[in-house]
Amino acid sequence: WLRALEAHGVSPTIGSFLGASTLRDSGMGLRMGAAAGAPLDSMRAAMRRAMEDGAFGLGTALIYPPGNYASTDELIEIAKVMAPYGGLYITHMRSEADKVLVGMDEAFRIGQEAGVPVEIYHLKAAGTANWRKAPMMIAKIDSARAAGLDVQATMYPYTAGGTGLAACFPPRFDADGKLKQSLADPTVRAEIRAEFAHPTSYWESLCEQATPQGVLLTTLRAPQNQRWSGHRLSEVAAGTGKDWLETLMDLVLSEPQGIGTIYFLMSEDNVRLALRQPWITIGTDASGHDPDSTTGMVLPRADGTYPRILGQYVRYERLLTLEEAVR
């Protein structure tokens, strides 16, 4: 894969992490439950082979199935394998909202017990109720660094994030890859609605954190849905005469692929605060799009992140010097 990239020509230096969800799928499939015994052994062996093949480390995405089925202990055991190779644990934490501080504690514990550096990617306090936590998050990283843990974070210079619309659902309904099957069953739909109203375990719905007004749909392929591309979830609900949760279930069920979605979650003041931290790295967290062939709406982050840093925050706001931004 890396040789193929080289053959096509790439301007930046390329490196790759082993995705923990890929690793989890190889050992456990899409089942819920902690990995142990032979499945965990096979995952550890795959981690070792990946490091020997040149992986930079282990990357987790702990709000998405099957990544969020992994226990802290199994992640520690897997991360220990990469320690002798200089591997880095880079993580989309288990919480970026109501339990973001707890999510940071988990990331720090994995780094400490496995003996590996930690990188929190796209550091954010998501949801208006959590914006006040940004200074506490920065203080926690400063404290961990002062105590000897090699930890830093990446960020992008926008107040919106992007992922699929299915990220709004409770993870247990996607166990074994059966989310659409669940949505097609009226009985399970009622269970999903009940889980939203009265959660039986902790999970974060991006739709609730952003609110339906803050959920922008970018990629819809089913003919009956294409008119809603570029509209908010609240607008689709109003246009179809259903509540936002029923609308959410209908859209995900009726689309042949994932639905590209932009979630407006963060505070501009917190973006500026994070940009001033010396341990922050800028990361696009985005897929690339060919400007000659892209016709739909896409996140601006892939092409806009670095121009925005240099234009908005260096030239216009003078939040950073040019030298510090380039560093």
Side-chain angles (χ1 to χ4, degrees), residues 24 50 75 80 139 142 169 179 190 198 211 228 236 239 245 292 305:
R24 169 87 187 187
L75 293 173
K80 284 179 180 177
D142 284 337
F169 289 106
L179 178 59
H198 305 287
T211 75
W228 299 119
V236 183
L245 182 50
D292 290 333
T305 286

Side-chain angles (χ1 to χ4, degrees), residues 12-305:
T13 300
I14 295 292
S16 181
F17 287 78
L18 175 60
S21 291
T22 303
L23 190 60
R24 169 87 187 187
D25 192 13
S26 73
M28 292 285 289
L30 300 178
R31 304 192 304 275
M32 296 183 72
L40 181 57
D41 288 343
S42 70
M43 292 160 69
R44 286 162 47 86
M47 182 79 250
R48 183 176 295 106
R49 288 194 300 272
M51 295 307 297
E52 291 171 352
D53 286 344
F56 280 19
L58 180 70
T60 62
L62 300 180
I63 69 167
Y64 305 111
N68 51 12
Y69 302 155
S71 70
T72 306
D73 288 339
E74 76 182 68
L75 293 173
I76 291 170
E77 290 305 308
I78 294 167
K80 284 179 180 177
V81 172
M82 66 178 177
Y85 300 90
L88 170 65
Y89 177 71
I90 183 166
T91 181
H92 179 134
M93 298 184 296
R94 212 175 288 271
S95 171
E96 295 179 329
D98 296 346
K99 293 194 176 182
V100 64
L101 300 177
V102 177
M104 294 177 73
D105 288 338
E106 180 188 38
F108 295 170
R109 181 189 161 200
I110 291 168
Q112 289 165 344
E113 295 192 20
V116 296
V118 175
E119 179 117 4
I120 296 169
Y121 62 82
H122 48 59
L123 186 73
K124 64 169 74 82
T128 54
N130 298 303
W131 289 356
R132 62 182 178 82
K133 296 176 182 175
M136 291 181 272
M137 295 165 65
I138 289 169
K140 279 180 77 71
I141 292 177
D142 284 337
S143 178
R145 288 169 61 87
L149 181 64
D150 186 354
V151 56
Q152 59 182 37
T154 71
M155 68 173 292
Y156 47 75
Y158 295 95
T159 58
T163 188
L165 190 61
C168 291
F169 289 106
R172 69 182 177 92
F173 293 101
D174 200 13
D176 301 317
K178 294 182 177 178
L179 178 59
K180 288 204 174 187
Q181 185 176 324
S182 298
L183 294 175
D185 185 332
T187 301
V188 181
R189 276 199 179 214
E191 293 176 12
I192 292 173
R193 187 173 287 277
E195 184 69 20
F196 271 91
H198 305 287
T200 57
S201 62
Y202 183 75
W203 56 280
E204 290 182 350
S205 169
L206 294 180
C207 286
E208 291 184 306
Q209 294 293 343
T211 75
Q213 175 60 31
V215 177
L216 177 64
L217 308 175
T218 63
T219 310
L220 293 163
R221 296 176 177 85
Q224 71 271 26
N225 296 333
Q226 287 182 5
R227 62 186 173 126
W228 299 119
S229 292
H231 287 74
R232 309 291 178 122
L233 182 60
S234 57
E235 295 173 321
V236 183
T240 57
K242 300 175 182 178
D243 66 21
W244 72 266
L245 182 50
E246 193 72 14
T247 302
L248 168 67
M249 292 191 281
D250 286 347
L251 285 172
V252 173
L253 177 61
S254 62
E255 281 291 315
Q257 299 180 40
I259 301 173
T261 309
I262 296 175
Y263 297 91
F264 292 86
L265 294 161
M266 285 79 75
S267 153
E268 180 64 31
D269 287 341
N270 285 346
V271 170
R272 296 189 183 99
L273 176 64
L275 277 172
R276 293 197 296 268
Q277 306 311 310
W279 36 257
I280 275 287
T281 300
I282 306 304
T284 63
D285 187 45
S287 302
H289 299 276
D290 186 344
D292 290 333
S293 59
T294 299
T295 57
M297 297 179 66
V298 298
L299 276 166
R301 297 187 313 217
D303 301 301
T305 286

